Amino acid sequence: MDLKKNVRFKLGSENWEMPLGILLLLIGIALILMIVGAYLGFMFGERQFGATP
């Protein structure tokens, strides 16, 4: 897989072009942040509303 190959895509009305490696890196970072945010939200809710003695 050539990670330096430029990928063209359209987002809204704008045309974008960036290397495949950078695009995969951005997607990976976004997925990690979504998973961490969901976990932290779950832990906050569990602590806030979870176990009532």
Side-chain angles (χ1 to χ4, degrees), residues 2-9 16-23:
D2 185 16
L3 295 177
K4 294 187 183 205
K5 180 181 182 212
N6 283 343
V7 177
R8 295 180 186 152
F9 56 95
W16 290 80
E17 181 176 343
M18 66 175 58
L20 180 61
I22 300 298
L23 185 62

Side-chain angles (χ1 to χ4, degrees), residues 7-53:
V7 177
R8 295 180 186 152
F9 56 95
K10 189 172 189 174
L11 196 61
S13 63
E14 296 292 323
N15 293 326
W16 290 80
E17 181 176 343
M18 66 175 58
L20 180 61
I22 300 298
L23 185 62
L24 292 176
L25 179 68
L26 290 175
I27 291 171
I29 290 172
L31 287 174
I32 288 171
L33 287 175
M34 284 190 284
I35 291 169
V36 169
Y39 175 73
L40 290 176
F42 175 78
M43 293 306 289
F44 175 76
E46 185 76 16
R47 191 181 71 210
Q48 194 79 9
F49 306 110
T52 54

